[in-house]
Amino acid sequence: MSIPALYFDGKTSRAHQVTLSVEGGHATISGDAERSCPISELRVSERARNTKRKVTFPDDAYLEIVDTAAFDALLADTGHQDSFIVRMQQSWRGALGAVAATLVVLTLSYLYVLPLASEGIAKMLPERVERSISQGMLDFLDKRIFAPSKLPLARQQALIEQFKQLQPPREGVPNYRILFRKSKIGPNAFALPSGEIIITDELVQLMKNDEQIMGVLAHELGHLHERHLMRRVVQSSAIAALVTVVFGDASAIVANIPTLLLDMKYSRDAEREADDYAIAMMKANGIDLAHMAGGFEQLQATTRETTPPPYLSSHPSTDERIEHILKSR
Amino acid sequence: MTDAAVVHEIPESNSHPSDTPIRFSFSGTGSEYFRIWIVNLLFSILTLGIYSAWAKVRRTRYFYGSTSVAGTSFEYHGNPVAILKGRIIAVLLIIIYNIAFEMSDLIGLLMLLLVMALTPWLIWKSLQFKLYNSSYRGIRFGFRGALKQIYWVYLALPILTMLSAFLLTPFTHQRVKKFQHQESRFGTSHFSFSGSVGSFYLAYLLVFVIWLVGVIAISVTLGGSLFAIITADVMDREAASAAGAAGIVLFLGVLYVWMFLLFPIFATLIQNLIWNHTQLGQHRFLSDMKWTRMAFITITNIIGIICTLGLFLPFAQIRAMKYRVECMALQPNGSLENFIAASQQQVSATGEGVADLLDFDLSL
C-alpha cells in the first residue's frame, strides 16, 4: 500500500509530492524526493480527528499526510499502537471516565486530603515563620486600623486574669497573649497565628457581662488551638495552585471565583470548630452557654448583618451559631 | 475549505506565485479538545502537577497541528522534561518570593529587585523557547535579540511608564511588539514590524473615549433613576437606603461588565494593528477581526464557563482560538517555497515554565 504525502526536507520550505510505502520495517518515499528509513527511527504524531498526521525523520524532515484513514491502516499493518492516553482522548467513554474520575479525585481531596495535609503542614511549620507572619499583620493593622486601647489598664488586667483562670477543654494549649486595641472597624476580635488574641474596646463595651467576653476569647483561643490561620493559609495556596492547573490561562476573573467559594467553606468549618471549642471551654468552667449565645446576639444587633446565602459566606449565619450554642447546653 | 481543496491548491500556488491573500484555517473542534483536556487534566492532578508539562506539550501540539495556512500546518517541538524543569524552578522562585516578604521587608525588597532583574531575561528565554520549538513546513522559527535590548524593553520602559503615570503605555506597548516581531525569524527570513507609535496611541485613545462615553451613559441613566428613587417620598428612609445600596451594587456591576466588553474591543484593535503591520520577508500578514464578534465570543464563553463549572473551558478556548486564527491571512509576494532553515540551537525551557506560571501573556 502506498499513500500520497507531502515531504518537507527541513532545509527549505519546498513541498515535495511523494508517496509513502512501508515494507520490511522500512518506510520509503518516492516521487519529488526519495529516501528510506527504518520505521523504528520515525516519530508519528498523535492521532486527532481533523489534523493531518505527521511522520518525522530523525533529522527533522517530515511528511504530512492528509488521508488519515489510509495512514491509520498503514500504521496498523506495521503494528503501531496509540498510547493509552491517546486512546483515552479519542474515545468518549475514556473522556467521560476521565470527567468522573476527575470529579471524584477533586471532591475527595477537597473534603479530606487538603484539610488533613494542611493541618499537617501547619503543625510542621516552624514557630518562627508564624511569628514573623503575625508580626507583619499586627504592624499593618496597628498602622491602618487600630489605635491604642482606651480601656483602663486595671480592667484589661482583670479580663486577662479572669480568662487565665478558666480551664481550656484540652491539653496542649498554645502560648497566647491577649491584646486590647481601639479600632475603626467596630466590635471585633481575632487571633493571629503566633498566639496574639486581639479584642477591640468596642467589643468589650458591647458585651453585657464578662461571661460574654470570656465566650468570645474562648472562641479565638479555639482558632489558635486548632491552628486555623496557618491551615487556612496553606489551604488557600493549595486551592489557588489547583485552580491554576485546571484553568491554566483562562481569564483571572473566572478563575478566582471558585477559589473564593472553595475557601469560604473551610472558613465556615473553622468558625464552627472554634465555636465548639468555646462551648466545651464554657461547659468545663461551668459558665452558662446562654452568655455566649447572648454575646452573639449583641453582635448581630449592632452589625445588623444581611444574611447572605450559606455558600457565599465566610461565617455560618449568626442565627445558626446561636442555635447551635443553645442546643449544646 | 476542505482538506482536499487545500492540497490541490498547493502545486498551483507554487508554480504561479500569486498575491491573493491565503487565509489561515483552524480545524480543531471543541469536543475533541475537551477530551484531550479532561484526560490530561486528570493525569496532571493525579501526579500532583508533574504530568502538566506533558499535558502542555500535547495541548500545544493540538493547537499547532490544527492551525494551517497554504495547506500545511504548524508543529510544536517543545520537550516536556525541559518544561518540567522550568516549572520546578518557577514554583521554587514563587515560594521563595512569597516567604521573603513574610521574613522581613529588607529580604523581601532584595527578592523583589532580584525578580525584577531576572524577569526580562526569563521573558527572553521564554520567547526563544517558544519560537525555536515552533515550525512550519519543516523550518523552525527563531528569536534573537540582544540582552541590552531585552532590559530596555522589559525593564527600563515599564519603569519609565509607571513614572509617567502610564502615559507612556502605548509607546511601551509598541516598542515591545516591535522588539518581539523584529527579532523573530522563520528559518533565515526575518519578520519586520511597521506599526507606528502614533497608531498605538490612537488605538488606546479610541478605547479610552469609548470607555468614557459608556461610563457617562451608565452614570446618567442609572445615577438618575437612583436619585429619583431615593428622593421619592413613597418610601421610608430604611427602604430608600436599601434601594440605594442595591442601586450602587447594580451600578458597579454594570461598570464591571462594561470594562469587560471593552477588553475584546481593545484586543481586536491591537491584534489587527499588530498583524496588519507585520511582514515576513516580502510576505505580508493581514488581520480583520471584528470586535462585535470577539465581544460576543468572550461573553458567551465566560457565561458558559461559569454555568458549567469550568467544563466549557476547552470549548471556549477553541472558539476564541478559531476566530483569532481564521481572521488572519498571509499575503504572499512570490513563492512560499524559498525559505531556508537556519542552523538550530537548543534552548532551555526555564523561561517558558516561569512565564507560564506567572501568567504572562506573551501572545505573539
Side-chain angles (χ1 to χ4, degrees):
Chain A
M1 179 167 36
S2 69
I3 51 176
L6 288 178
Y7 175 73
F8 295 94
D9 60 13
K11 293 178 187 70
T12 71
S13 56
R14 201 168 113 72
H16 307 260
Q17 299 272 0
V18 296
T19 54
L20 166 72
S21 57
V22 176
E23 237 167 88
H26 270 68
T28 308
I29 56 168
S30 51
D32 286 358
E34 316 232 323
R35 123 174 241 188
S36 180
C37 183
I39 52 172
S40 57
E41 288 177 22
L42 297 174
R43 196 171 53 78
V44 176
S45 71
E46 282 173 3
R47 189 156 61 90
R49 188 155 302 162
N50 293 318
T51 56
K52 292 156 204 149
R53 296 296 285 268
K54 286 174 183 146
V55 180
T56 311
F57 290 88
D59 62 353
D60 254 17
Y62 79 100
L63 292 167
E64 200 164 294
I65 294 147
V66 179
D67 190 349
T68 40
F71 184 68
D72 284 348
L74 187 78
L75 268 185
D77 283 348
T78 65
H80 175 91
Q81 217 193 0
D82 286 337
S83 71
F84 171 68
I85 289 189
V86 172
R87 275 179 285 148
M88 203 163 156
Q89 282 172 181
Q90 287 303 319
S91 81
W92 272 109
R93 195 182 297 168
L96 291 178
V99 173
T102 306
L103 289 179
V104 169
V105 169
L106 287 181
T107 314
L108 287 182
S109 21
Y110 175 61
L111 289 179
Y112 305 106
V113 182
L114 198 50
L116 262 179
S118 51
E119 192 178 349
I121 294 173
K123 281 189 178 137
M124 263 165 39
L125 275 182
E127 243 176 74
R128 201 147 36 89
V129 175
E130 292 188 350
R131 191 141 301 158
S132 60
I133 293 178
S134 310
Q135 197 54 50
M137 286 177 175
L138 191 57
D139 285 348
F140 176 82
L141 292 170
D142 275 341
K143 259 180 233 154
R144 301 284 161 87
I145 299 173
F146 290 149
S149 175
K150 292 262 160 48
L151 279 188
L153 265 181
R155 170 85 173 123
Q156 293 186 15
Q157 276 307 321
L159 283 171
I160 293 173
E161 274 310 308
Q162 195 183 344
F163 190 64
K164 282 245 161 75
Q165 299 301 322
L166 299 182
Q167 191 60 43
R170 279 210 321 264
E171 289 296 304
V173 187
N175 283 325
Y176 66 90
R177 216 149 53 99
I178 298 172
L179 302 172
F180 294 85
R181 292 283 190 276
K182 187 166 167 44
S183 90
K184 292 176 193 157
I185 51 167
N188 212 327
F190 56 91
L192 294 175
S194 56
E196 283 84 8
I197 295 174
I198 291 137
I199 180 163
T200 65
D201 294 359
E202 290 77 7
L203 187 75
V204 174
Q205 280 147 13
L206 176 72
M207 294 291 121
K208 284 210 179 98
N209 55 39
D210 287 1
E211 282 77 11
Q212 290 187 347
I213 300 174
M214 293 303 116
V216 171
L217 289 174
H219 172 94
E220 297 308 327
L221 186 62
H223 279 316
L224 285 180
H225 208 149
E226 310 277 1
R227 300 180 77 105
H228 280 148
L229 227 110
M230 280 321 282
R231 274 162 69 178
R232 188 135 180 235
V233 169
V234 175
Q235 267 162 357
S236 52
S237 337
I239 293 177
L242 191 72
V243 168
T244 312
V245 170
V246 175
F247 287 90
D249 41 9
S251 114
I253 299 142
V254 180
N256 275 328
I257 298 168
T259 318
L260 214 66
L261 288 179
L262 292 171
D263 196 44
M264 293 291 194
K265 177 193 174 291
Y266 287 133
S267 162
R268 287 190 310 273
D269 289 350
E271 290 309 315
R272 290 201 188 94
E273 244 175 62
D275 281 349
D276 286 340
Y277 186 96
I279 290 168
M281 192 159 173
M282 297 294 105
K283 275 183 169 171
N285 295 282
I287 302 177
D288 189 352
L289 284 171
H291 291 304
M292 204 175 131
F296 278 127
E297 270 162 12
Q298 292 295 115
L299 261 175
Q300 190 180 29
T302 44
T303 50
R304 221 195 274 144
E305 55 176 4
T306 46
T307 36
Y311 255 81
L312 291 172
S313 157
S314 65
H315 280 62
S317 80
T318 309
D319 290 334
E320 184 192 326
R321 292 170 76 182
I322 293 171
E323 197 187 306
H324 177 63
I325 295 164
L326 292 176
K327 255 196 217 147
S328 309
R329 281 209 281 183
Chain B
M1 206 186 292
T2 66
D3 291 337
V6 174
V7 173
H8 287 307
E9 183 191 294
I10 299 166
E12 269 177 85
S13 70
N14 287 344
S15 45
H16 311 284
S18 73
D19 43 9
T20 38
I22 308 170
R23 210 162 258 287
F24 282 70
S25 72
F26 189 80
S27 62
T29 61
S31 64
E32 181 161 41
Y33 183 60
F34 172 79
R35 300 196 300 261
I36 295 174
W37 175 79
I38 190 71
V39 170
N40 285 285
L41 178 62
L42 173 63
F43 286 101
S44 295
I45 293 170
L46 287 179
T47 56
L48 298 175
I50 293 169
Y51 183 79
S52 71
W54 278 261
K56 185 197 163 78
V57 169
R58 185 166 277 126
R59 286 199 311 262
T60 314
R61 284 218 174 112
Y62 183 72
F63 278 122
Y64 276 47
S66 301
T67 306
S68 23
V69 62
T72 37
S73 61
F74 291 80
E75 196 174 0
Y76 183 67
H77 304 268
N79 173 8
V81 178
I83 292 174
L84 182 63
K85 279 185 202 154
R87 292 193 165 191
I88 291 172
I89 293 172
V91 169
L92 287 178
L93 266 183
I94 292 172
I95 291 175
I96 293 171
Y97 180 69
N98 279 318
I99 290 177
F101 262 104
E102 309 290 2
M103 292 295 207
S104 87
D105 285 352
L106 183 68
I107 301 177
L109 208 65
L110 288 177
M111 268 311 283
L112 183 70
L113 288 177
L114 185 70
V115 169
M116 270 170 64
L118 270 178
T119 308
W121 183 78
L122 289 172
I123 294 175
W124 183 39
K125 284 285 149 201
S126 159
L127 284 168
Q128 282 189 345
F129 185 83
K130 190 171 173 183
L131 282 167
Y132 279 114
N133 285 308
S134 305
S135 74
Y136 173 71
R137 295 190 162 215
I139 293 183
R140 296 213 187 195
F141 291 82
F143 192 80
R144 48 174 192 185
L147 205 58
K148 207 170 71 182
Q149 280 176 295
I150 316 285
Y151 278 88
W152 170 246
V153 170
Y154 289 111
L155 189 63
L157 279 183
I159 291 175
L160 284 177
T161 306
M162 268 191 278
L163 293 179
S164 74
F166 295 98
L167 286 175
L168 281 178
T169 309
F171 172 75
T172 304
H173 196 162
Q174 191 266 356
R175 283 292 186 269
V176 167
K177 281 298 163 189
K178 189 177 165 192
F179 172 73
Q180 284 180 354
H181 283 213
Q182 286 192 335
E183 303 303 324
S184 299
R185 59 175 173 75
F186 174 60
T188 51
S189 310
H190 274 279
F191 284 86
S192 59
F193 183 69
S194 60
S196 66
V197 173
S199 57
F200 273 76
Y201 268 97
L202 211 61
Y204 272 80
L205 190 69
L206 185 60
V207 173
F208 176 73
V209 169
I210 299 174
W211 174 77
L212 201 64
V213 169
V215 169
I216 293 171
I218 293 167
S219 307
V220 169
T221 29
L222 273 182
S225 46
L226 202 63
F227 185 73
I229 292 172
I230 294 171
T231 49
D233 273 338
V234 236
M235 278 187 282
D236 56 276
R237 264 186 71 194
E238 205 151 291
S241 78
I248 287 165
V249 170
L250 181 70
F251 179 65
L252 291 177
V254 173
L255 274 187
Y256 190 72
V257 170
W258 177 234
M259 297 281 284
F260 226 89
L261 271 171
L262 271 184
F263 187 73
I265 301 181
F266 180 69
T268 309
L269 276 176
I270 292 291
Q271 165 147 346
N272 286 344
L273 171 61
I274 289 169
W275 284 104
N276 284 327
H277 288 92
T278 298
Q279 267 185 283
L280 171 59
Q282 294 301 306
H283 312 292
R284 282 187 54 203
F285 289 94
L286 303 169
S287 168
D288 57 358
M289 278 171 77
K290 305 274 181 296
W291 76 266
T292 41
R293 179 87 193 122
M294 197 62 209
F296 175 75
I297 292 175
T298 309
I299 291 164
T300 45
N301 274 351
I302 287 166
I303 294 171
I305 291 171
I306 293 173
C307 293
T308 59
L309 300 175
L311 285 178
F312 187 68
L313 187 82
F315 295 89
Q317 282 177 331
I318 291 282
R319 281 178 79 204
M321 182 67 90
K322 189 175 171 70
Y323 183 64
R324 285 180 60 175
V325 167
E326 293 190 341
C327 282
M328 298 260 307
L330 179 66
Q331 184 160 27
N333 182 356
S335 168
L336 291 177
E337 302 258 298
N338 303 323
F339 295 103
I340 298 173
S343 62
Q344 283 153 15
Q345 295 158 29
Q346 246 351 88
V347 178
S348 107
T350 314
E352 170 87 334
V354 174
D356 212 46
L357 270 179
L358 295 179
D359 230 2
F360 278 117
D361 185 12
L362 299 177
S363 62
L364 284 165

